[in-house]
Amino acid sequence: MTTTSTADDVTAAPPARSRGVRRRRVLVGVALAAGLVAVGGLGAATLVKSPAERAAQAAAPPNSLITAPVVSQVLTKSVVARAVVYPPAQYNVVPAAASPDVTQLFVSKLGVRTGDTVAAGELLAEVSGQPLFALPGPVPAYRDIRPGSTGPDVSELQDALEGLGYSVGDDDKGVFGRGTAQAVTAFYRKLGYPVPTTGATTQQAVDTAQKAVDTDKQTVDSLTAQKKAGATQPPTQPGAPTAPAQPPAPAGDIDQQLAIAKKQLATDQAALAKARAVNGPMVPAAHVVFLPALPAAVTAVNGSVGSPASGTLVSLTSGGLNITGQLTPSQAAGVKPGMAVEILAEDTNTTIAGTVAEVGAPTTAPPAGKVITLGGAAAAGAAAAGNGGGPGAQPGGGGAPAGPPNNGPGATSYVPVAIAPGIPLPAALNGKNVRLTVLKDKASAPVTAVPVAAVSTNAAGQTSVTTVDAAGNRTTVPVTTGVSADGMVAVTPAAGTELRPGDQVVVGK
């Protein structure tokens, strides 16, 4: 059976659906309104407070105690200050001409760079073709060291050469003889440079003396032959005319002539030995830099190949590092030589132990080593003057402080404390400002200790601490105080009372 719909049916359906939609919209609206009313009520409730609630919120918070634990530890009374690490001396090497033939100084070669370490016998630089090398020795080069020289500079040269493996033979200590000359020759050849000599003047003296000795020997030989042959005339030379025969000379005359000739030979041989003694290989003052200790550190190189060599070319430090603490007068009170110290470099967290070596007088000058100039005019003067000069001509004698001292108006005074480190200070600490702790007094064993703030004193002068247990109960414990350090103080409870590590004591409120 087929069902059909009429136009009336189609037009009747929409009104029914519209009434359902309207009912749902009304219900949603009612729900939203109720929610808004509820939220508003809650907000209003938070704004409305009773007088009691307002008083409670305005009242001060209840008192609370700040406590700290009682500990058992070794207390060391100490002083903490700053200290400066610096080299005891800085050596500024100023090149000089080793010969009057050198009219200008230019850097022709550099053997080191800043930061290098220089060993004995090592080349520092080459200036106008001449070497500049370092050797160990306490006396700066103040003259050319040549054959025949004597003195402490010769001794240190011999020691340096022996240390490098070049024997000076049987030469006496401090005397430049043939063995020292041979050692100098071997050293220069190893270094790769021509061996410097005393020059044409001394060589000419040797040649002249040698000719005199040769002539003397011929005379002695001729007279000796005449005596043996009984001849009355000296031997004729080939081609020379024959002289008329002469009566034979008395034997006594030959003996007398031979004695005189032998005496002359001995005199001329002595002159030859003397000329040879001051002739030959030498070490110009402009070639060598003697340093008290090697190896040394290169702190600066002021030049490049081809640049003029004027002023300081190379700066070196030798002999380790010094450290001086800067204490206020109150800190220095009670500090004595022999006290233990701790050196701390904060950037590397390196700690080094040491002792107090010396406590100085108050000063405003900053801790610094000396600056000593080596070479320059002194070395050039030695080259020009030959073998002259002496210890009084040492360059840089006495030295000067490294850097300008801060001792002008307004400078802060401090007490310098020299420190002897237990081990050599690392080169990396050079120029650094480090922390210094002087350990003045140290307890022999752990003691019961509390923070200094935990100790109180009453009107009668009695000291005590206040303990607090887990329930908040407080107990006053009379104590006797002892050594204090780093904010802690040793305490001994009175008889009949207890104070144990771990107990909590009041340090504040």
Side-chain angles (χ1 to χ4, degrees):
M1 179 174 119
T2 302
T3 304
T4 62
S5 60
T6 66
D8 293 338
D9 296 331
V10 175
T11 57
R17 288 194 296 269
S18 296
R19 286 194 298 271
V21 171
R22 285 196 298 269
R23 283 196 298 270
R24 285 194 296 272
R25 289 176 178 174
V26 171
L27 291 175
V28 171
V30 172
L32 289 174
L36 290 173
V37 172
V39 171
L42 290 174
T46 60
L47 296 176
V48 178
K49 293 183 174 64
S50 66
E53 289 175 328
R54 290 178 179 177
Q57 290 182 348
N63 291 336
S64 60
L65 296 178
I66 302 174
T67 62
V70 178
V71 297
S72 176
Q73 67 181 51
V74 175
L75 291 183
T76 301
K77 191 174 183 180
S78 61
V79 172
V80 179
R82 305 305 298 179
V84 178
V85 181
Y86 57 94
Q90 175 177 301
Y91 299 90
N92 291 339
V93 181
V94 179
S99 166
D101 296 335
V102 178
T103 58
Q104 288 184 298
L105 295 177
F106 290 93
V107 179
S108 49
K109 182 179 180 180
L110 284 174
V112 295
R113 296 179 297 178
T114 301
D116 284 353
T117 299
V118 178
E122 188 171 342
L123 183 73
L124 299 175
E126 178 188 283
V127 180
S128 296
Q130 59 188 13
L132 182 60
F133 51 84
L135 291 178
V139 182
Y142 57 84
R143 62 173 177 173
D144 295 339
I145 307 177
R146 57 180 64 208
S149 297
T150 60
D153 53 343
V154 179
S155 296
E156 67 184 2
L157 174 63
Q158 292 172 325
D159 290 340
L161 292 171
E162 292 271 6
L164 292 171
Y166 304 104
S167 173
V168 298
D170 296 330
D171 285 359
D172 291 336
K173 187 77 167 180
V175 178
F176 195 126
R178 185 178 298 271
T180 304
Q182 292 174 347
V184 168
T185 299
F187 170 68
Y188 269 91
R189 288 176 177 171
K190 178 69 174 179
L191 205 60
Y193 286 90
V195 182
T197 63
T198 50
T201 301
T202 57
Q203 185 60 49
Q204 184 178 3
V206 171
D207 294 342
T208 300
Q210 183 65 62
K211 288 180 180 179
V213 169
D214 293 343
T215 300
D216 294 341
K217 285 183 176 180
Q218 290 177 359
T219 301
V220 170
D221 292 343
S222 175
L223 291 172
T224 301
Q226 289 182 45
K227 181 177 180 180
K228 287 183 178 180
T232 58
Q233 299 291 334
T236 57
Q237 299 296 327
T242 303
Q246 298 292 332
D253 291 346
I254 293 292
D255 291 340
Q256 185 177 7
Q257 293 176 24
L258 185 58
I260 293 174
K262 287 182 176 179
K263 183 176 180 180
Q264 184 63 43
L265 174 60
T267 300
D268 289 342
Q269 284 177 329
L272 175 60
K274 186 176 181 180
R276 284 176 172 171
V278 296
N279 179 65
M282 60 174 284
V283 179
H287 284 191
V288 61
V289 174
F290 283 112
L291 296 175
L294 286 173
V298 180
T299 57
V301 176
N302 306 310
S304 58
V305 174
S307 65
S310 59
T312 299
L313 177 60
V314 179
S315 294
L316 304 161
T317 59
S318 171
L321 295 172
N322 286 354
I323 177 169
T324 297
Q326 298 174 284
L327 278 63
T328 64
S330 60
Q331 288 177 321
V335 174
K336 300 177 182 178
M339 287 184 172
V341 301
E342 291 180 353
I343 304 162
L344 173 64
E346 291 99 333
D347 57 344
T348 59
N349 199 32
T350 302
T351 301
I352 299 174
T355 57
V356 174
E358 182 182 2
V359 180
T363 181
T364 57
K370 294 181 178 180
V371 175
I372 301 175
T373 300
L374 302 177
N387 202 29
Q394 294 182 32
N406 182 26
N407 54 3
T412 302
S413 176
Y414 70 95
V415 177
V417 177
I419 303 301
I423 61 174
L425 295 177
L429 291 182
N430 185 21
K432 290 191 175 180
N433 189 292
V434 297
R435 175 176 172 173
L436 179 69
T437 303
V438 182
L439 311 176
K440 298 177 70 174
D441 294 313
K442 186 173 182 179
S444 58
V447 295
T448 301
V450 299
V452 173
V455 180
S456 59
T457 305
N458 61 20
Q462 297 176 337
T463 54
S464 64
V465 297
T466 301
T467 61
V468 181
D469 60 20
N473 299 317
R474 305 182 194 182
T475 303
T476 299
V477 180
V479 296
T480 301
T481 58
V483 63
S484 63
D486 299 327
M488 302 292 289
V489 59
V491 293
T492 302
T497 62
E498 286 187 330
L499 191 63
R500 299 181 298 269
D503 289 349
Q504 295 292 318
V505 291
V506 178
V507 295
K509 296 181 179 180

